[in-house]
Amino acid sequence: MSLDSLKSRVPDYAKDLKLNLGSVIGNSELPAQQLWGTVLATAIASRSPIVLRELEPEAKAQLSPEAYTAAKAAAAVMAMNNVFYRTRHLLSDHEYGTLRAGLRMNVIGNPGVEKVDFELWSFAVSAINGCGMCLDSHEQVLRKAGVERDVIQEVFKIASVVQAVGVTLDAEAVLAE
């Protein structure tokens, strides 16, 4: 199970996805921990069993145990936060924004890895889950930490390609039944 194995599963009609997958992961200039944490967090966020099974072993091999756990934690906490904050943002009654969230999010304050890495992974998951409020929040933290726009864009390129591959392969699996 690997990136090459995943690419080989992409159908011909989605050749662009196959090429993009090889490019955004295989040719990434991100440091290994940022790259593979992003890959793991977005594979989880994609909800695609195929993508997760193919990419997780390589991510686990590339990451320290702490980074592996932190990437999974980013996917988990953002699955909750993206629904909560996206809903708050979309409601026309803005009074919900004044109410206490009352949700535990301790991992954001102490993720066990560099804060920038965890923020990148949280940003990538938020891109998949479509929470504009979370995207803005994480992007601002990253920019204040000195992360350049091209790095942030690289992370959401990975998220977009991983998500698209997951959608495509899951659809193919259903159609093959």
Side-chain angles (χ1 to χ4, degrees):
M1 292 187 233
S2 67
L3 178 59
D4 288 336
S5 176
L6 184 60
K7 285 171 32 182
S8 74
R9 297 178 76 151
V10 175
D12 288 342
Y13 69 80
K15 182 180 179 185
D16 289 330
L17 297 182
K18 182 186 303 191
L19 295 171
N20 288 332
L21 190 62
S23 176
V24 300
I25 297 175
N27 297 328
S28 176
E29 293 185 14
L30 291 174
Q33 180 166 297
Q34 289 180 356
L35 171 64
W36 287 102
T38 300
V39 169
L40 179 59
T42 58
I44 292 168
S46 78
R47 298 175 184 86
S48 170
I50 297 167
V51 167
L52 185 56
R53 274 191 219 106
E54 292 290 346
L55 294 177
E56 183 275 341
E58 196 163 349
K60 190 172 189 175
Q62 296 287 333
L63 294 169
S64 69
E66 296 81 12
Y68 177 80
T69 299
K72 292 193 310 180
V77 75
M78 295 318 297
M80 174 185 69
N81 285 355
N82 292 157
V83 171
F84 181 81
Y85 288 105
R86 183 179 61 233
T87 300
R88 251 191 186 182
H89 179 72
L90 292 173
L91 286 169
S92 59
D93 183 347
H94 298 287
E95 289 296 315
Y96 289 100
T98 67
L99 301 176
R100 183 176 170 276
L103 298 172
R104 295 193 182 274
M105 303 172 226
N106 294 329
V107 72
I108 293 173
N110 187 18
V113 295
E114 291 292 324
K115 181 105 170 110
V116 165
D117 294 354
F118 193 81
E119 288 290 330
L120 284 169
W121 305 335
S122 297
F123 180 89
V125 171
S126 297
I128 288 175
N129 291 332
C131 180
M133 200 170 183
C134 294
L135 285 167
D136 283 342
S137 175
H138 293 289
E139 191 266 349
Q140 288 171 12
V141 170
L142 289 164
R143 295 290 294 142
K144 283 180 186 170
V147 178
E148 297 294 330
R149 284 181 181 89
D150 60 334
V151 171
I152 296 169
Q153 179 170 288
E154 187 165 350
V155 167
F156 67 83
K157 282 171 46 178
I158 293 167
S160 65
V161 174
V162 168
Q163 171 69 7
V165 169
V167 167
T168 302
L169 294 180
D170 289 353
E172 286 298 311
V174 168
L175 295 173
E177 291 177 359

PDB file of all heavy atoms in Angstrom, residues 30-35 37-38 41 63 67 70-71 74 111-124 138 142 145 147 151 155:
ATOM      1  N   LEU A  30       7.326  20.600   0.972  1.00  0.00           N
ATOM      2  CA  LEU A  30       7.086  20.688   2.409  1.00  0.00           C
ATOM      3  C   LEU A  30       8.052  19.768   3.147  1.00  0.00           C
ATOM      4  O   LEU A  30       8.395  18.695   2.632  1.00  0.00           O
ATOM      5  CB  LEU A  30       5.655  20.261   2.747  1.00  0.00           C
ATOM      6  CG  LEU A  30       4.510  21.157   2.307  1.00  0.00           C
ATOM      7  CD1 LEU A  30       3.169  20.484   2.609  1.00  0.00           C
ATOM      8  CD2 LEU A  30       4.588  22.521   2.989  1.00  0.00           C
ATOM      9  N   PRO A  31       8.448  20.142   4.358  1.00  0.00           N
ATOM     10  CA  PRO A  31       9.210  19.193   5.178  1.00  0.00           C
ATOM     11  C   PRO A  31       8.383  17.919   5.380  1.00  0.00           C
ATOM     12  O   PRO A  31       7.147  17.970   5.387  1.00  0.00           O
ATOM     13  CB  PRO A  31       9.408  19.938   6.501  1.00  0.00           C
ATOM     14  CG  PRO A  31       9.215  21.387   6.174  1.00  0.00           C
ATOM     15  CD  PRO A  31       8.244  21.433   5.028  1.00  0.00           C
ATOM     16  N   ALA A  32       9.051  16.798   5.559  1.00  0.00           N
ATOM     17  CA  ALA A  32       8.368  15.500   5.632  1.00  0.00           C
ATOM     18  C   ALA A  32       7.242  15.483   6.650  1.00  0.00           C
ATOM     19  O   ALA A  32       6.157  14.958   6.376  1.00  0.00           O
ATOM     20  CB  ALA A  32       9.374  14.390   5.919  1.00  0.00           C
ATOM     21  N   GLN A  33       7.462  16.041   7.836  1.00  0.00           N
ATOM     22  CA  GLN A  33       6.413  15.999   8.857  1.00  0.00           C
ATOM     23  C   GLN A  33       5.188  16.797   8.429  1.00  0.00           C
ATOM     24  O   GLN A  33       4.064  16.332   8.598  1.00  0.00           O
ATOM     25  CB  GLN A  33       6.937  16.521  10.202  1.00  0.00           C
ATOM     26  CG  GLN A  33       5.859  16.498  11.284  1.00  0.00           C
ATOM     27  CD  GLN A  33       6.404  16.677  12.659  1.00  0.00           C
ATOM     28  OE1 GLN A  33       7.170  15.844  13.128  1.00  0.00           O
ATOM     29  NE2 GLN A  33       6.022  17.765  13.334  1.00  0.00           N
ATOM     30  N   GLN A  34       5.390  17.970   7.861  1.00  0.00           N
ATOM     31  CA  GLN A  34       4.246  18.762   7.397  1.00  0.00           C
ATOM     32  C   GLN A  34       3.521  18.046   6.265  1.00  0.00           C
ATOM     33  O   GLN A  34       2.290  17.989   6.245  1.00  0.00           O
ATOM     34  CB  GLN A  34       4.692  20.155   6.963  1.00  0.00           C
ATOM     35  CG  GLN A  34       5.100  21.029   8.120  1.00  0.00           C
ATOM     36  CD  GLN A  34       5.548  22.416   7.696  1.00  0.00           C
ATOM     37  OE1 GLN A  34       5.628  22.738   6.510  1.00  0.00           O
ATOM     38  NE2 GLN A  34       5.867  23.250   8.679  1.00  0.00           N
ATOM     39  N   LEU A  35       4.280  17.501   5.335  1.00  0.00           N
ATOM     40  CA  LEU A  35       3.683  16.799   4.201  1.00  0.00           C
ATOM     41  C   LEU A  35       2.878  15.591   4.650  1.00  0.00           C
ATOM     42  O   LEU A  35       1.688  15.463   4.338  1.00  0.00           O
ATOM     43  CB  LEU A  35       4.771  16.350   3.217  1.00  0.00           C
ATOM     44  CG  LEU A  35       4.298  15.410   2.102  1.00  0.00           C
ATOM     45  CD1 LEU A  35       3.291  16.095   1.189  1.00  0.00           C
ATOM     46  CD2 LEU A  35       5.485  14.876   1.320  1.00  0.00           C
ATOM     47  N   GLY A  37       1.894  14.605   7.618  1.00  0.00           N
ATOM     48  CA  GLY A  37       0.797  14.922   8.529  1.00  0.00           C
ATOM     49  C   GLY A  37      -0.404  15.441   7.768  1.00  0.00           C
ATOM     50  O   GLY A  37      -1.550  15.080   8.064  1.00  0.00           O
ATOM     51  N   THR A  38      -0.149  16.271   6.764  1.00  0.00           N
ATOM     52  CA  THR A  38      -1.232  16.765   5.898  1.00  0.00           C
ATOM     53  C   THR A  38      -1.875  15.618   5.145  1.00  0.00           C
ATOM     54  O   THR A  38      -3.106  15.523   5.061  1.00  0.00           O
ATOM     55  CB  THR A  38      -0.698  17.821   4.905  1.00  0.00           C
ATOM     56  OG1 THR A  38      -0.149  18.921   5.639  1.00  0.00           O
ATOM     57  CG2 THR A  38      -1.783  18.313   3.976  1.00  0.00           C
ATOM     58  N   ALA A  41      -3.966  13.501   7.730  1.00  0.00           N
ATOM     59  CA  ALA A  41      -5.163  14.215   8.191  1.00  0.00           C
ATOM     60  C   ALA A  41      -6.201  14.337   7.081  1.00  0.00           C
ATOM     61  O   ALA A  41      -7.399  14.147   7.313  1.00  0.00           O
ATOM     62  CB  ALA A  41      -4.780  15.596   8.729  1.00  0.00           C
ATOM     63  N   LEU A  63       6.272   9.587   9.763  1.00  0.00           N
ATOM     64  CA  LEU A  63       6.018  10.457  10.909  1.00  0.00           C
ATOM     65  C   LEU A  63       6.512   9.841  12.211  1.00  0.00           C
ATOM     66  O   LEU A  63       6.480   8.618  12.375  1.00  0.00           O
ATOM     67  CB  LEU A  63       4.510  10.723  11.037  1.00  0.00           C
ATOM     68  CG  LEU A  63       3.862  11.522   9.906  1.00  0.00           C
ATOM     69  CD1 LEU A  63       2.343  11.471  10.017  1.00  0.00           C
ATOM     70  CD2 LEU A  63       4.354  12.967   9.922  1.00  0.00           C
ATOM     71  N   ALA A  67       3.812  12.873  15.904  1.00  0.00           N
ATOM     72  CA  ALA A  67       3.240  13.550  14.738  1.00  0.00           C
ATOM     73  C   ALA A  67       2.098  12.733  14.136  1.00  0.00           C
ATOM     74  O   ALA A  67       1.092  13.299  13.701  1.00  0.00           O
ATOM     75  CB  ALA A  67       4.312  13.815  13.686  1.00  0.00           C
ATOM     76  N   ALA A  70      -0.801  13.346  16.361  1.00  0.00           N
ATOM     77  CA  ALA A  70      -1.260  14.726  16.218  1.00  0.00           C
ATOM     78  C   ALA A  70      -2.027  14.932  14.913  1.00  0.00           C
ATOM     79  O   ALA A  70      -3.023  15.665  14.881  1.00  0.00           O
ATOM     80  CB  ALA A  70      -0.092  15.694  16.308  1.00  0.00           C
ATOM     81  N   ALA A  71      -1.589  14.313  13.839  1.00  0.00           N
ATOM     82  CA  ALA A  71      -2.301  14.442  12.561  1.00  0.00           C
ATOM     83  C   ALA A  71      -3.695  13.818  12.662  1.00  0.00           C
ATOM     84  O   ALA A  71      -4.675  14.378  12.161  1.00  0.00           O
ATOM     85  CB  ALA A  71      -1.503  13.797  11.432  1.00  0.00           C
ATOM     86  N   ALA A  74      -5.778  16.201  14.692  1.00  0.00           N
ATOM     87  CA  ALA A  74      -6.237  17.350  13.897  1.00  0.00           C
ATOM     88  C   ALA A  74      -7.478  16.974  13.096  1.00  0.00           C
ATOM     89  O   ALA A  74      -8.447  17.740  13.048  1.00  0.00           O
ATOM     90  CB  ALA A  74      -5.122  17.835  12.968  1.00  0.00           C
ATOM     91  N   PRO A 111      -0.851  20.100  21.003  1.00  0.00           N
ATOM     92  CA  PRO A 111      -0.975  18.992  20.054  1.00  0.00           C
ATOM     93  C   PRO A 111       0.151  17.962  20.098  1.00  0.00           C
ATOM     94  O   PRO A 111       0.046  16.911  19.479  1.00  0.00           O
ATOM     95  CB  PRO A 111      -0.997  19.690  18.699  1.00  0.00           C
ATOM     96  CG  PRO A 111      -0.204  20.941  18.914  1.00  0.00           C
ATOM     97  CD  PRO A 111      -0.475  21.351  20.340  1.00  0.00           C
ATOM     98  N   GLY A 112       1.234  18.264  20.791  1.00  0.00           N
ATOM     99  CA  GLY A 112       2.354  17.325  20.852  1.00  0.00           C
ATOM    100  C   GLY A 112       3.357  17.478  19.723  1.00  0.00           C
ATOM    101  O   GLY A 112       4.318  16.707  19.637  1.00  0.00           O
ATOM    102  N   VAL A 113       3.127  18.436  18.836  1.00  0.00           N
ATOM    103  CA  VAL A 113       4.038  18.763  17.728  1.00  0.00           C
ATOM    104  C   VAL A 113       4.102  20.281  17.621  1.00  0.00           C
ATOM    105  O   VAL A 113       3.385  20.995  18.324  1.00  0.00           O
ATOM    106  CB  VAL A 113       3.567  18.168  16.372  1.00  0.00           C
ATOM    107  CG1 VAL A 113       3.600  16.655  16.387  1.00  0.00           C
ATOM    108  CG2 VAL A 113       2.187  18.685  15.997  1.00  0.00           C
ATOM    109  N   GLU A 114       4.941  20.757  16.714  1.00  0.00           N
ATOM    110  CA  GLU A 114       5.026  22.199  16.476  1.00  0.00           C
ATOM    111  C   GLU A 114       3.629  22.740  16.137  1.00  0.00           C
ATOM    112  O   GLU A 114       2.892  22.140  15.359  1.00  0.00           O
ATOM    113  CB  GLU A 114       5.969  22.503  15.312  1.00  0.00           C
ATOM    114  CG  GLU A 114       7.423  22.209  15.605  1.00  0.00           C
ATOM    115  CD  GLU A 114       8.015  23.134  16.648  1.00  0.00           C
ATOM    116  OE1 GLU A 114       7.644  24.336  16.673  1.00  0.00           O
ATOM    117  OE2 GLU A 114       8.835  22.652  17.452  1.00  0.00           O
ATOM    118  N   LYS A 115       3.300  23.875  16.719  1.00  0.00           N
ATOM    119  CA  LYS A 115       1.980  24.486  16.519  1.00  0.00           C
ATOM    120  C   LYS A 115       1.703  24.746  15.038  1.00  0.00           C
ATOM    121  O   LYS A 115       0.585  24.517  14.572  1.00  0.00           O
ATOM    122  CB  LYS A 115       1.898  25.794  17.313  1.00  0.00           C
ATOM    123  CG  LYS A 115       0.584  26.509  17.197  1.00  0.00           C
ATOM    124  CD  LYS A 115      -0.235  26.343  18.435  1.00  0.00           C
ATOM    125  CE  LYS A 115      -1.446  27.261  18.417  1.00  0.00           C
ATOM    126  NZ  LYS A 115      -2.673  26.523  18.255  1.00  0.00           N
ATOM    127  N   VAL A 116       2.709  25.196  14.297  1.00  0.00           N
ATOM    128  CA  VAL A 116       2.512  25.473  12.868  1.00  0.00           C
ATOM    129  C   VAL A 116       2.089  24.207  12.123  1.00  0.00           C
ATOM    130  O   VAL A 116       1.190  24.249  11.279  1.00  0.00           O
ATOM    131  CB  VAL A 116       3.786  26.093  12.238  1.00  0.00           C
ATOM    132  CG1 VAL A 116       3.748  26.038  10.720  1.00  0.00           C
ATOM    133  CG2 VAL A 116       3.949  27.536  12.703  1.00  0.00           C
ATOM    134  N   ASP A 117       2.708  23.083  12.429  1.00  0.00           N
ATOM    135  CA  ASP A 117       2.348  21.837  11.748  1.00  0.00           C
ATOM    136  C   ASP A 117       0.893  21.475  12.023  1.00  0.00           C
ATOM    137  O   ASP A 117       0.134  21.153  11.108  1.00  0.00           O
ATOM    138  CB  ASP A 117       3.272  20.695  12.178  1.00  0.00           C
ATOM    139  CG  ASP A 117       4.709  20.911  11.730  1.00  0.00           C
ATOM    140  OD1 ASP A 117       4.986  21.880  10.998  1.00  0.00           O
ATOM    141  OD2 ASP A 117       5.565  20.104  12.131  1.00  0.00           O
ATOM    142  N   PHE A 118       0.505  21.547  13.285  1.00  0.00           N
ATOM    143  CA  PHE A 118      -0.875  21.214  13.651  1.00  0.00           C
ATOM    144  C   PHE A 118      -1.854  22.181  12.995  1.00  0.00           C
ATOM    145  O   PHE A 118      -2.924  21.767  12.535  1.00  0.00           O
ATOM    146  CB  PHE A 118      -1.036  21.237  15.183  1.00  0.00           C
ATOM    147  CG  PHE A 118      -2.321  20.621  15.643  1.00  0.00           C
ATOM    148  CD1 PHE A 118      -2.442  19.245  15.760  1.00  0.00           C
ATOM    149  CD2 PHE A 118      -3.411  21.415  15.968  1.00  0.00           C
ATOM    150  CE1 PHE A 118      -3.636  18.669  16.181  1.00  0.00           C
ATOM    151  CE2 PHE A 118      -4.600  20.854  16.391  1.00  0.00           C
ATOM    152  CZ  PHE A 118      -4.717  19.475  16.509  1.00  0.00           C
ATOM    153  N   GLU A 119      -1.496  23.447  12.926  1.00  0.00           N
ATOM    154  CA  GLU A 119      -2.355  24.435  12.266  1.00  0.00           C
ATOM    155  C   GLU A 119      -2.499  24.130  10.773  1.00  0.00           C
ATOM    156  O   GLU A 119      -3.587  24.266  10.209  1.00  0.00           O
ATOM    157  CB  GLU A 119      -1.804  25.852  12.466  1.00  0.00           C
ATOM    158  CG  GLU A 119      -1.969  26.394  13.856  1.00  0.00           C
ATOM    159  CD  GLU A 119      -3.406  26.710  14.238  1.00  0.00           C
ATOM    160  OE1 GLU A 119      -4.222  27.054  13.353  1.00  0.00           O
ATOM    161  OE2 GLU A 119      -3.715  26.627  15.437  1.00  0.00           O
ATOM    162  N   LEU A 120      -1.401  23.727  10.131  1.00  0.00           N
ATOM    163  CA  LEU A 120      -1.479  23.364   8.711  1.00  0.00           C
ATOM    164  C   LEU A 120      -2.427  22.191   8.508  1.00  0.00           C
ATOM    165  O   LEU A 120      -3.247  22.180   7.586  1.00  0.00           O
ATOM    166  CB  LEU A 120      -0.097  23.025   8.160  1.00  0.00           C
ATOM    167  CG  LEU A 120       0.832  24.195   7.872  1.00  0.00           C
ATOM    168  CD1 LEU A 120       2.244  23.708   7.585  1.00  0.00           C
ATOM    169  CD2 LEU A 120       0.310  25.035   6.710  1.00  0.00           C
ATOM    170  N   TRP A 121      -2.318  21.179   9.365  1.00  0.00           N
ATOM    171  CA  TRP A 121      -3.177  20.000   9.243  1.00  0.00           C
ATOM    172  C   TRP A 121      -4.629  20.363   9.509  1.00  0.00           C
ATOM    173  O   TRP A 121      -5.532  19.895   8.816  1.00  0.00           O
ATOM    174  CB  TRP A 121      -2.702  18.892  10.170  1.00  0.00           C
ATOM    175  CG  TRP A 121      -1.262  18.522   9.965  1.00  0.00           C
ATOM    176  CD1 TRP A 121      -0.524  18.698   8.813  1.00  0.00           C
ATOM    177  CD2 TRP A 121      -0.372  17.952  10.909  1.00  0.00           C
ATOM    178  NE1 TRP A 121       0.762  18.264   9.010  1.00  0.00           N
ATOM    179  CE2 TRP A 121       0.889  17.800  10.286  1.00  0.00           C
ATOM    180  CE3 TRP A 121      -0.502  17.543  12.235  1.00  0.00           C
ATOM    181  CZ2 TRP A 121       1.988  17.251  10.934  1.00  0.00           C
ATOM    182  CZ3 TRP A 121       0.588  16.998  12.889  1.00  0.00           C
ATOM    183  CH2 TRP A 121       1.826  16.854  12.237  1.00  0.00           C
ATOM    184  N   SER A 122      -4.861  21.213  10.499  1.00  0.00           N
ATOM    185  CA  SER A 122      -6.223  21.665  10.804  1.00  0.00           C
ATOM    186  C   SER A 122      -6.794  22.473   9.647  1.00  0.00           C
ATOM    187  O   SER A 122      -7.970  22.341   9.295  1.00  0.00           O
ATOM    188  CB  SER A 122      -6.225  22.505  12.091  1.00  0.00           C
ATOM    189  OG  SER A 122      -5.806  21.732  13.192  1.00  0.00           O
ATOM    190  N   PHE A 123      -5.961  23.298   9.046  1.00  0.00           N
ATOM    191  CA  PHE A 123      -6.373  24.077   7.880  1.00  0.00           C
ATOM    192  C   PHE A 123      -6.773  23.151   6.733  1.00  0.00           C
ATOM    193  O   PHE A 123      -7.809  23.343   6.099  1.00  0.00           O
ATOM    194  CB  PHE A 123      -5.230  25.015   7.454  1.00  0.00           C
ATOM    195  CG  PHE A 123      -5.561  25.858   6.262  1.00  0.00           C
ATOM    196  CD1 PHE A 123      -6.162  27.095   6.410  1.00  0.00           C
ATOM    197  CD2 PHE A 123      -5.272  25.413   4.982  1.00  0.00           C
ATOM    198  CE1 PHE A 123      -6.471  27.872   5.307  1.00  0.00           C
ATOM    199  CE2 PHE A 123      -5.571  26.175   3.870  1.00  0.00           C
ATOM    200  CZ  PHE A 123      -6.179  27.417   4.031  1.00  0.00           C
ATOM    201  N   ALA A 124      -5.950  22.141   6.471  1.00  0.00           N
ATOM    202  CA  ALA A 124      -6.216  21.212   5.364  1.00  0.00           C
ATOM    203  C   ALA A 124      -7.535  20.472   5.568  1.00  0.00           C
ATOM    204  O   ALA A 124      -8.324  20.316   4.631  1.00  0.00           O
ATOM    205  CB  ALA A 124      -5.064  20.221   5.230  1.00  0.00           C
ATOM    206  N   HIS A 138      -7.455  29.586  10.979  1.00  0.00           N
ATOM    207  CA  HIS A 138      -6.173  28.883  10.885  1.00  0.00           C
ATOM    208  C   HIS A 138      -5.208  29.601   9.945  1.00  0.00           C
ATOM    209  O   HIS A 138      -4.008  29.664  10.211  1.00  0.00           O
ATOM    210  CB  HIS A 138      -6.381  27.424  10.462  1.00  0.00           C
ATOM    211  CG  HIS A 138      -7.081  26.630  11.504  1.00  0.00           C
ATOM    212  ND1 HIS A 138      -6.489  26.268  12.696  1.00  0.00           N
ATOM    213  CD2 HIS A 138      -8.344  26.142  11.554  1.00  0.00           C
ATOM    214  CE1 HIS A 138      -7.349  25.589  13.429  1.00  0.00           C
ATOM    215  NE2 HIS A 138      -8.490  25.500  12.759  1.00  0.00           N
ATOM    216  N   LEU A 142      -1.478  30.940  10.930  1.00  0.00           N
ATOM    217  CA  LEU A 142      -0.322  30.548  10.127  1.00  0.00           C
ATOM    218  C   LEU A 142       0.423  31.765   9.586  1.00  0.00           C
ATOM    219  O   LEU A 142       1.657  31.826   9.651  1.00  0.00           O
ATOM    220  CB  LEU A 142      -0.758  29.633   8.980  1.00  0.00           C
ATOM    221  CG  LEU A 142      -1.183  28.234   9.412  1.00  0.00           C
ATOM    222  CD1 LEU A 142      -1.965  27.546   8.301  1.00  0.00           C
ATOM    223  CD2 LEU A 142       0.022  27.408   9.825  1.00  0.00           C
ATOM    224  N   ALA A 145       2.402  33.445  12.157  1.00  0.00           N
ATOM    225  CA  ALA A 145       3.587  32.649  12.500  1.00  0.00           C
ATOM    226  C   ALA A 145       4.651  32.721  11.404  1.00  0.00           C
ATOM    227  O   ALA A 145       5.701  32.086  11.509  1.00  0.00           O
ATOM    228  CB  ALA A 145       3.191  31.197  12.748  1.00  0.00           C
ATOM    229  N   VAL A 147       4.212  31.834   8.111  1.00  0.00           N
ATOM    230  CA  VAL A 147       4.053  30.856   7.030  1.00  0.00           C
ATOM    231  C   VAL A 147       3.604  31.595   5.771  1.00  0.00           C
ATOM    232  O   VAL A 147       2.646  32.370   5.796  1.00  0.00           O
ATOM    233  CB  VAL A 147       3.034  29.754   7.420  1.00  0.00           C
ATOM    234  CG1 VAL A 147       2.841  28.765   6.279  1.00  0.00           C
ATOM    235  CG2 VAL A 147       3.492  29.040   8.690  1.00  0.00           C
ATOM    236  N   VAL A 151       3.051  28.085   0.878  1.00  0.00           N
ATOM    237  CA  VAL A 151       3.031  26.888   1.727  1.00  0.00           C
ATOM    238  C   VAL A 151       1.591  26.545   2.084  1.00  0.00           C
ATOM    239  O   VAL A 151       1.180  25.377   2.006  1.00  0.00           O
ATOM    240  CB  VAL A 151       3.884  27.097   3.004  1.00  0.00           C
ATOM    241  CG1 VAL A 151       3.693  25.954   3.996  1.00  0.00           C
ATOM    242  CG2 VAL A 151       5.351  27.252   2.626  1.00  0.00           C
ATOM    243  N   VAL A 155      -0.722  23.127   0.978  1.00  0.00           N
ATOM    244  CA  VAL A 155      -1.494  22.277   1.874  1.00  0.00           C
ATOM    245  C   VAL A 155      -2.923  22.110   1.363  1.00  0.00           C
ATOM    246  O   VAL A 155      -3.469  21.010   1.364  1.00  0.00           O
ATOM    247  CB  VAL A 155      -1.445  22.842   3.315  1.00  0.00           C
ATOM    248  CG1 VAL A 155      -2.472  22.195   4.202  1.00  0.00           C
ATOM    249  CG2 VAL A 155      -0.051  22.662   3.900  1.00  0.00           C
TER     250      VAL A 155
END
